[in-house]
Protein backbone atom coordinates (compact mmCIF):
# COMPACT_ATOMS: atom_id res chain seq x y z
CA UNK A 1 0.00 0.00 0.00
CA UNK A 2 2.84 2.36 0.85
CA UNK A 3 4.61 1.60 -2.41
CA UNK A 4 1.40 2.21 -4.30
CA UNK A 5 0.96 5.60 -2.62
CA UNK A 6 4.55 6.53 -3.50
CA UNK A 7 3.86 5.74 -7.16
CA UNK A 8 0.77 7.99 -7.19
CA UNK A 9 2.61 11.29 -7.42
CA UNK A 10 0.59 13.03 -10.16
CA UNK A 11 -2.44 15.26 -9.67
CA UNK A 12 -5.78 13.82 -10.72
CA UNK A 13 -7.04 14.65 -14.19
CA UNK A 14 -10.43 16.24 -14.85
CA UNK A 15 -11.72 12.88 -16.14
CA UNK A 16 -10.70 11.19 -12.88
CA UNK A 17 -12.52 13.90 -10.91
CA UNK A 18 -15.66 13.53 -13.03
CA UNK A 19 -15.66 9.79 -12.44
CA UNK A 20 -15.33 10.37 -8.69
CA UNK A 21 -18.35 12.71 -8.74
CA UNK A 22 -20.39 10.19 -10.71
CA UNK A 23 -19.57 7.57 -8.08
CA UNK A 24 -20.65 9.92 -5.28
CA UNK A 25 -17.13 10.40 -3.97
CA UNK A 26 -16.66 13.90 -2.54
CA UNK A 27 -14.41 15.76 -0.14
CA UNK A 28 -17.16 16.30 2.44
CA UNK A 29 -16.82 16.74 6.20
CA UNK A 30 -19.45 15.51 8.65
CA UNK A 31 -18.27 18.13 11.11
CA UNK A 32 -19.39 20.89 8.74
CA UNK A 33 -22.89 19.39 8.64
CA UNK A 34 -22.87 19.09 12.42
CA UNK A 35 -21.82 22.74 12.72
CA UNK A 36 -24.63 23.91 10.46
CA UNK A 37 -27.27 21.89 12.30
CA UNK A 38 -26.11 22.91 15.78
CA UNK A 39 -25.82 26.52 14.66
CA UNK A 40 -29.32 26.35 13.20
CA UNK A 41 -30.57 24.91 16.50
CA UNK A 42 -29.03 27.81 18.41
CA UNK A 43 -30.65 30.34 16.07
CA UNK A 44 -34.03 28.62 16.37
CA UNK A 45 -33.83 28.70 20.18
CA UNK A 46 -32.66 32.32 20.18
CA UNK A 47 -35.41 33.67 17.92
CA UNK A 48 -38.31 31.35 18.74
CA UNK A 49 -37.43 29.76 22.09
CA UNK A 50 -39.70 32.02 24.15
CA UNK A 51 -42.53 31.58 21.65
CA UNK A 52 -42.14 27.79 21.70
CA UNK A 53 -42.05 27.78 25.52
CA UNK A 54 -45.24 29.87 25.70
CA UNK A 55 -46.97 27.66 23.15
CA UNK A 56 -46.13 24.48 25.05
CA UNK A 57 -47.38 26.10 28.28
CA UNK A 58 -50.68 26.96 26.59
CA UNK A 59 -51.05 23.37 25.39
CA UNK A 60 -50.46 22.06 28.92
CA UNK A 61 -53.05 24.49 30.30
CA UNK A 62 -55.57 23.28 27.75
CA UNK A 63 -54.88 19.65 28.66
CA UNK A 64 -55.31 20.26 32.40
CA UNK A 65 -58.48 22.23 31.76
CA UNK A 66 -60.04 19.54 29.55
CA UNK A 67 -59.29 16.71 31.93
CA UNK A 68 -61.58 18.19 34.61
CA UNK A 69 -64.75 16.83 33.00
CA UNK A 70 -65.74 13.67 31.23
CA UNK A 71 -65.29 13.62 27.45
CA UNK A 72 -66.81 11.50 24.71
CA UNK A 73 -64.80 9.67 22.08
CA UNK A 74 -65.64 12.21 19.37
CA UNK A 75 -64.63 15.09 21.63
CA UNK A 76 -61.35 13.38 22.44
CA UNK A 77 -60.73 12.89 18.73
CA UNK A 78 -61.35 16.58 18.01
CA UNK A 79 -59.20 17.69 20.94
CA UNK A 80 -56.38 15.37 19.87
CA UNK A 81 -56.43 16.82 16.35
CA UNK A 82 -56.35 20.39 17.64
CA UNK A 83 -53.57 19.71 20.12
CA UNK A 84 -51.54 17.80 17.53
CA UNK A 85 -51.82 20.67 15.05
CA UNK A 86 -50.88 23.22 17.72
CA UNK A 87 -47.88 21.15 18.80
CA UNK A 88 -46.77 20.73 15.19
CA UNK A 89 -46.92 24.48 14.61
CA UNK A 90 -44.87 25.09 17.75
CA UNK A 91 -42.06 22.72 16.79
CA UNK A 92 -42.16 23.72 13.08
CA UNK A 93 -39.04 25.94 13.36
CA UNK A 94 -37.10 23.02 14.86
CA UNK A 95 -38.12 20.83 11.91
CA UNK A 96 -36.19 23.17 9.61
CA UNK A 97 -32.88 22.32 11.28
CA UNK A 98 -32.13 19.21 9.07
CA UNK A 99 -32.43 21.45 6.01
CA UNK A 100 -29.26 23.24 7.10
CA UNK A 101 -27.45 19.88 7.00
CA UNK A 102 -28.45 19.54 3.33
CA UNK A 103 -27.32 23.12 2.69
CA UNK A 104 -23.90 22.34 4.14
CA UNK A 105 -23.63 19.33 1.83
CA UNK A 106 -24.46 21.47 -1.23
CA UNK A 107 -21.95 24.15 -0.17
CA UNK A 108 -19.20 21.55 0.12
CA UNK A 109 -19.89 19.52 -3.02
CA UNK A 110 -22.35 21.41 -5.19
CA UNK A 111 -25.49 19.89 -6.65
CA UNK A 112 -24.86 16.42 -8.04
CA UNK A 113 -27.45 13.71 -8.69
CA UNK A 114 -26.12 10.18 -8.97
CA UNK A 115 -27.54 6.75 -8.17
CA UNK A 116 -24.14 5.06 -8.12
CA UNK A 117 -23.91 4.83 -4.30
CA UNK A 118 -27.32 3.10 -4.23
CA UNK A 119 -26.24 0.29 -6.54
CA UNK A 120 -25.62 -3.06 -4.80
CA UNK A 121 -21.95 -3.69 -4.12
CA UNK A 122 -20.97 -7.00 -2.54
CA UNK A 123 -17.56 -5.60 -1.65
CA UNK A 124 -19.26 -3.52 1.03
CA UNK A 125 -20.37 -6.66 2.91
CA UNK A 126 -17.05 -8.42 2.48
CA UNK A 127 -15.74 -9.07 6.03
CA UNK A 128 -12.10 -8.88 4.91
CA UNK A 129 -12.46 -5.46 3.31
CA UNK A 130 -14.58 -4.34 6.27
CA UNK A 131 -11.85 -5.37 8.69
CA UNK A 132 -9.28 -3.50 6.61
CA UNK A 133 -11.38 -0.34 6.90
CA UNK A 134 -11.58 -0.79 10.69
CA UNK A 135 -7.80 -0.98 11.07
CA UNK A 136 -7.00 1.58 8.37
CA UNK A 137 -5.31 4.93 8.87
CA UNK A 138 -8.56 6.76 8.13
CA UNK A 139 -10.36 4.84 10.86
CA UNK A 140 -7.59 5.70 13.32
CA UNK A 141 -7.79 9.36 12.34
CA UNK A 142 -11.57 9.36 12.83
CA UNK A 143 -11.15 7.75 16.27
CA UNK A 144 -8.58 10.34 17.35
CA UNK A 145 -10.75 13.14 16.00
CA UNK A 146 -13.82 11.87 17.89
CA UNK A 147 -11.88 11.56 21.16
CA UNK A 148 -10.46 15.07 20.81
CA UNK A 149 -13.83 16.54 19.91
CA UNK A 150 -15.59 14.91 22.87
CA UNK A 151 -12.76 15.95 25.21
CA UNK A 152 -12.82 19.59 24.07
CA UNK A 153 -16.62 19.85 24.22
CA UNK A 154 -16.65 18.25 27.66
CA UNK A 155 -14.09 20.75 28.87
CA UNK A 156 -16.06 23.69 27.43
CA UNK A 157 -19.31 22.53 29.09
CA UNK A 158 -17.54 21.83 32.38
CA UNK A 159 -15.87 25.27 32.38
CA UNK A 160 -19.18 27.01 31.70
CA UNK A 161 -21.00 25.10 34.44
CA UNK A 162 -18.14 25.60 36.89
CA UNK A 163 -18.31 29.34 36.29
CA UNK A 164 -22.00 29.31 37.33
CA UNK A 165 -21.53 26.80 40.12
CA UNK A 166 -21.61 29.48 42.83
CA UNK A 167 -25.02 30.70 41.62
CA UNK A 168 -26.67 27.26 41.71
CA UNK A 169 -27.84 27.43 45.38
CA UNK A 170 -29.84 30.58 44.61
CA UNK A 171 -32.11 28.54 42.35
CA UNK A 172 -33.79 27.08 45.45
CA UNK A 173 -35.23 30.47 46.41
CA UNK A 174 -36.17 31.49 42.87
CA UNK A 175 -39.59 31.09 41.32
CA UNK A 176 -40.11 28.57 38.53
CA UNK A 177 -40.07 31.22 35.80
CA UNK A 178 -36.91 32.83 37.15
CA UNK A 179 -35.03 29.55 37.55
CA UNK A 180 -36.14 28.45 34.09
CA UNK A 181 -34.90 31.72 32.58
CA UNK A 182 -31.56 31.35 34.36
CA UNK A 183 -31.12 27.75 33.19
CA UNK A 184 -32.05 28.80 29.66
CA UNK A 185 -29.49 31.60 29.71
CA UNK A 186 -26.70 29.30 30.93
CA UNK A 187 -27.68 26.61 28.41
CA UNK A 188 -27.67 29.16 25.57
CA UNK A 189 -24.20 30.37 26.63
CA UNK A 190 -22.92 26.78 26.59
CA UNK A 191 -24.43 26.21 23.14
CA UNK A 192 -22.82 29.38 21.74
CA UNK A 193 -19.39 28.30 23.04
CA UNK A 194 -20.03 24.84 21.60
CA UNK A 195 -20.73 26.40 18.20
CA UNK A 196 -17.40 28.25 18.26
CA UNK A 197 -15.59 25.04 19.12
CA UNK A 198 -17.39 23.27 16.29
CA UNK A 199 -16.34 26.05 13.90
CA UNK A 200 -12.67 25.35 14.59
CA UNK A 201 -13.20 21.58 14.42
CA UNK A 202 -15.15 21.86 11.14
CA UNK A 203 -12.44 24.00 9.49
CA UNK A 204 -9.68 21.60 10.49
CA UNK A 205 -11.69 18.52 9.56
CA UNK A 206 -12.70 19.90 6.17
CA UNK A 207 -9.05 20.74 5.43
CA UNK A 208 -8.06 17.19 6.39
CA UNK A 209 -10.88 15.62 4.35
CA UNK A 210 -9.93 17.75 1.36
CA UNK A 211 -6.28 16.72 1.66
CA UNK A 212 -7.23 13.05 2.09
CA UNK A 213 -9.61 13.24 -0.89
CA UNK A 214 -6.95 14.76 -3.15
CA UNK A 215 -4.47 12.15 -1.95
CA UNK A 216 -6.90 9.36 -2.83
CA UNK A 217 -7.43 10.81 -6.33
CA UNK A 218 -3.73 11.03 -7.14
CA UNK A 219 -2.61 8.99 -10.13
CA UNK A 220 0.54 7.31 -11.25
CA UNK A 221 2.23 8.19 -14.54
CA UNK A 222 1.14 4.85 -16.00
CA UNK A 223 -2.51 5.58 -15.14
CA UNK A 224 -2.28 8.97 -16.85
CA UNK A 225 -0.80 7.35 -19.96
CA UNK A 226 -3.58 4.73 -20.02
CA UNK A 227 -6.20 7.44 -19.63
CA UNK A 228 -4.71 9.41 -22.52
CA UNK A 229 -4.85 6.27 -24.64
CA UNK A 230 -8.52 5.79 -23.78
CA UNK A 231 -9.51 9.39 -24.42
CA UNK A 232 -7.21 10.37 -27.30
CA UNK A 233 -6.25 6.98 -28.68
CA UNK A 234 -2.99 5.07 -28.76
CA UNK A 235 -0.22 7.36 -30.17
CA UNK A 236 1.17 4.47 -32.24
CA UNK A 237 -2.23 3.81 -33.79
CA UNK A 238 -2.80 7.53 -34.37
CA UNK A 239 0.58 7.81 -36.12
CA UNK A 240 -0.26 4.77 -38.24
CA UNK A 241 -3.63 6.26 -39.23
CA UNK A 242 -2.00 9.58 -40.19
CA UNK A 243 0.59 7.70 -42.22
CA UNK A 244 -2.14 5.79 -44.06
CA UNK A 245 -4.05 9.01 -44.68
CA UNK A 246 -0.93 10.65 -46.12
CA UNK A 247 -0.33 7.62 -48.32
CA UNK A 248 -3.91 7.70 -49.63
CA UNK A 249 -3.64 11.43 -50.32
CA UNK A 250 -0.36 10.84 -52.14
CA UNK A 251 -1.95 8.14 -54.30
CA UNK A 252 -4.84 10.43 -55.20
CA UNK A 253 -2.36 13.17 -56.04
CA UNK A 254 -0.35 10.84 -58.27
CA UNK A 255 -3.53 9.79 -60.03
CA UNK A 256 -4.05 13.44 -61.08
CA UNK A 257 -0.56 13.84 -62.57
CA UNK A 258 -1.54 12.32 -65.98
CA UNK A 259 -4.29 14.99 -66.21
CA UNK A 260 -1.83 17.85 -65.77
CA UNK A 261 -0.82 20.19 -68.60
CA UNK A 262 2.77 20.61 -67.44
CA UNK A 263 5.18 19.64 -64.65
CA UNK A 264 7.55 22.38 -63.49
CA UNK A 265 10.78 21.12 -61.90
CA UNK A 266 13.79 22.39 -59.94
CA UNK A 267 15.03 20.27 -61.87
CA UNK A 268 15.57 17.26 -59.61
CA UNK A 269 14.55 18.16 -56.06
CA UNK A 270 11.09 19.70 -56.65
CA UNK A 271 8.26 18.94 -59.08
CA UNK A 272 4.88 20.74 -59.37
CA UNK A 273 2.13 19.55 -61.71
CA UNK A 274 -0.18 22.27 -63.10
CA UNK A 275 -3.51 21.87 -64.84
CA UNK A 276 -5.64 24.56 -66.46
CA UNK A 277 -9.29 23.98 -67.35
CA UNK A 278 -11.02 27.06 -68.72
CA UNK A 279 -14.49 25.57 -68.18
CA UNK A 280 -14.03 24.80 -64.46
CA UNK A 281 -11.86 27.63 -63.20
CA UNK A 282 -10.41 31.03 -63.86
CA UNK A 283 -6.83 30.12 -62.95
CA UNK A 284 -4.52 27.10 -63.24
CA UNK A 285 -4.56 24.61 -60.34
CA UNK A 286 -1.72 22.73 -58.68
CA UNK A 287 -2.81 19.09 -58.90
CA UNK A 288 0.36 17.56 -57.46
CA UNK A 289 3.63 18.61 -55.88
CA UNK A 290 6.47 17.07 -53.98
CA UNK A 291 10.14 16.98 -53.16
CA UNK A 292 12.78 14.29 -53.32
CA UNK A 293 11.32 10.84 -53.96
CA UNK A 294 7.81 12.22 -54.54
CA UNK A 295 9.15 14.71 -57.11
CA UNK A 296 10.92 11.85 -58.88
CA UNK A 297 7.67 9.83 -59.00
CA UNK A 298 5.76 12.85 -60.38
CA UNK A 299 8.30 13.28 -63.18
CA UNK A 300 8.25 9.56 -63.91
CA UNK A 301 4.44 9.43 -64.18
CA UNK A 302 4.40 12.62 -66.26
CA UNK A 303 6.87 11.25 -68.81
CA UNK A 304 5.02 7.95 -68.93
CA UNK A 305 1.77 9.70 -69.86
CA UNK A 306 3.29 12.31 -72.19
CA UNK A 307 2.96 15.30 -69.86
CA UNK A 308 5.64 17.93 -70.63
CA UNK A 309 8.30 18.38 -67.91
CA UNK A 310 9.92 21.83 -67.92
CA UNK A 311 12.69 23.22 -65.75
CA UNK A 312 11.95 26.53 -64.04
CA UNK A 313 13.70 26.78 -60.68
CA UNK A 314 12.18 30.05 -59.32
CA UNK A 315 8.63 29.11 -60.33
CA UNK A 316 8.92 25.55 -59.05
CA UNK A 317 10.25 26.69 -55.67
CA UNK A 318 7.58 29.39 -55.27
CA UNK A 319 4.69 27.09 -56.23
CA UNK A 320 5.93 24.32 -53.96
CA UNK A 321 6.31 26.71 -51.02
CA UNK A 322 3.13 28.84 -51.31
CA UNK A 323 0.43 26.84 -53.11
CA UNK A 324 -1.28 23.75 -51.70
CA UNK A 325 -2.47 20.82 -53.78
CA UNK A 326 -5.92 21.53 -55.23
CA UNK A 327 -5.61 25.32 -54.93
CA UNK A 328 -5.43 27.92 -57.69
CA UNK A 329 -2.17 29.70 -58.20
CA UNK A 330 -1.99 33.28 -56.81
CA UNK A 331 -2.41 36.30 -59.06
CA UNK A 332 1.21 37.36 -58.78
CA UNK A 333 2.25 34.11 -60.50
CA UNK A 334 -0.25 34.37 -63.37
CA UNK A 335 2.31 35.78 -65.81
CA UNK A 336 5.02 33.21 -65.08
CA UNK A 337 2.58 30.28 -65.29
CA UNK A 338 0.96 31.72 -68.40
CA UNK A 339 4.34 31.82 -70.16
CA UNK A 340 4.95 28.18 -69.25
CA UNK A 341 1.50 27.10 -70.45
CA UNK A 342 1.84 29.10 -73.65
CA UNK A 343 5.14 27.37 -74.36
CA UNK A 344 3.52 23.95 -73.69
CA UNK A 345 0.57 24.74 -75.95
CA UNK A 346 2.96 25.77 -78.78
CA UNK A 347 4.81 22.46 -78.42
CA UNK A 348 1.55 20.58 -78.70
CA UNK A 349 0.57 22.50 -81.79
CA UNK A 350 3.93 21.73 -83.45
CA UNK A 351 3.52 18.02 -82.65
CA UNK A 352 0.11 17.98 -84.22
Amino acid sequence: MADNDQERTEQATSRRRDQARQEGNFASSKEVSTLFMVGAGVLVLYFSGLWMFSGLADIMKKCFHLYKGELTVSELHTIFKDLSFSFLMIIAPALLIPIFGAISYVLQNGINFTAKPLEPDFKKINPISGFKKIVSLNALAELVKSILKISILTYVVFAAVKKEWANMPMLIDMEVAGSAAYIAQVSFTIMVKTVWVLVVIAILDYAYQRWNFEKGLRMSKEEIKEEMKETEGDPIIKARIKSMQREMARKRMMADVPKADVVVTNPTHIAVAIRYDREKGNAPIVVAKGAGYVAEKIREIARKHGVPVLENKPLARTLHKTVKVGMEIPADLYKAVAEVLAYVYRLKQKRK
Side-chain angles (χ1 to χ4, degrees):
M1 183 66 181
D3 295 338
N4 194 18
D5 290 339
Q6 291 177 0
E7 292 178 359
R8 298 177 182 272
T9 57
E10 306 300 320
Q11 293 293 331
T13 60
S14 57
R15 183 167 179 261
R16 180 69 172 266
R17 296 181 184 277
D18 293 340
Q19 289 176 349
R21 290 189 64 85
Q22 292 175 3
E23 294 174 357
N25 189 10
F26 306 105
S28 58
S29 171
K30 296 179 181 179
E31 303 302 329
V32 176
S33 300
T34 303
L35 170 64
F36 270 69
M37 295 181 69
V38 173
V42 173
L43 293 176
V44 168
L45 290 177
Y46 180 78
F47 289 105
S48 61
L50 183 60
W51 174 76
M52 294 173 68
F53 178 79
S54 301
L56 291 174
D58 292 337
I59 290 177
M60 294 181 68
K61 290 178 182 178
K62 288 181 182 180
C63 291
F64 291 137
H65 177 73
L66 293 173
Y67 287 157
K68 291 181 179 180
E70 295 183 357
L71 300 173
T72 62
V73 175
S74 60
E75 290 176 340
L76 284 173
H77 182 70
T78 303
I79 293 171
F80 179 77
K81 287 176 59 178
D82 294 340
L83 293 178
S84 299
F85 180 75
S86 300
F87 182 74
L88 182 63
M89 294 301 297
I90 291 170
I91 66 171
L95 297 177
L96 299 177
I97 294 177
I99 297 177
F100 286 85
I103 293 174
S104 69
Y105 180 84
V106 174
L107 291 177
Q108 292 182 80
N109 308 310
I111 300 175
N112 184 66
F113 299 99
T114 176
K116 189 70 176 179
L118 301 178
E119 295 179 0
D121 187 2
F122 293 101
K123 294 181 180 179
K124 295 180 180 180
I125 60 176
N126 187 353
I128 298 176
S129 59
F131 179 76
K132 290 181 179 179
K133 289 182 180 179
I134 294 175
V135 298
S136 64
L137 182 61
N138 291 335
L140 180 61
E142 290 293 329
L143 177 62
V144 173
K145 181 187 70 176
S146 299
I147 294 174
L148 290 176
K149 181 174 70 173
I150 294 173
S151 301
I152 294 172
L153 291 176
T154 302
Y155 174 77
V156 170
V157 174
F158 175 76
V161 174
K162 184 179 179 180
K163 186 178 180 181
E164 301 292 335
W165 193 260
N167 300 324
M168 293 295 179
M170 294 188 299
L171 295 175
I172 300 175
D173 299 329
M174 286 184 182
E175 295 182 356
V176 176
S179 60
Y182 176 77
I183 293 173
Q185 181 182 357
V186 174
S187 300
F188 185 78
T189 303
I190 293 174
M191 294 186 69
V192 170
K193 292 182 178 180
T194 302
V195 168
W196 282 113
V197 173
L198 290 177
V199 168
V200 177
I201 294 175
I203 293 174
L204 295 177
D205 185 67
Y206 180 77
Y208 168 75
Q209 296 295 339
R210 191 75 189 179
W211 171 82
N212 193 36
F213 175 75
E214 293 294 333
K215 180 182 177 182
L217 284 182
R218 283 189 303 188
M219 304 172 65
S220 64
K221 295 181 179 180
E222 290 297 325
E223 288 176 333
I224 293 178
K225 290 180 180 179
E226 291 297 327
E227 184 178 292
M228 292 181 62
K229 288 181 181 179
E230 292 177 1
T231 55
E232 300 179 4
D234 193 331
I236 298 177
I237 297 177
K238 290 177 64 177
R240 177 60 179 167
I241 292 174
K242 289 183 178 180
S243 176
M244 293 176 64
Q245 290 175 344
R246 287 194 296 267
E247 184 64 25
M248 292 175 64
R250 187 179 297 114
K251 289 181 178 179
R252 288 194 298 268
M253 182 180 69
M254 293 300 182
D256 291 334
V257 173
K259 304 175 184 178
D261 292 318
V262 64
V263 173
V264 183
T265 65
N266 191 23
T268 57
H269 296 87
I270 296 174
V272 181
I274 302 173
R275 182 168 181 261
Y276 179 49
D277 190 342
R278 297 180 181 178
E279 297 179 358
K280 293 184 180 181
N282 297 323
I285 297 174
V286 173
V287 295
K289 69 174 185 176
Y293 174 75
V294 178
E296 183 181 347
K297 292 296 293 183
I298 291 175
R299 292 193 301 271
E300 180 182 342
I301 295 174
R303 293 190 181 98
K304 182 177 180 181
H305 291 83
V307 178
V309 178
L310 301 180
E311 178 182 343
N312 190 325
K313 295 181 180 180
L315 181 60
R317 290 175 181 176
T318 305
L319 290 174
H320 184 269
K321 185 177 181 180
T322 60
V323 185
K324 295 182 179 180
V325 176
M327 293 180 58
E328 294 182 351
I329 63 172
D332 56 345
L333 296 178
Y334 280 176
K335 184 177 180 181
V337 174
E339 291 176 355
V340 172
L341 291 176
Y343 176 74
V344 171
Y345 292 153
R346 286 197 297 270
L347 287 179
K348 291 182 176 180
Q349 290 294 331
K350 290 181 179 179
R351 291 176 182 176
K352 289 182 179 180

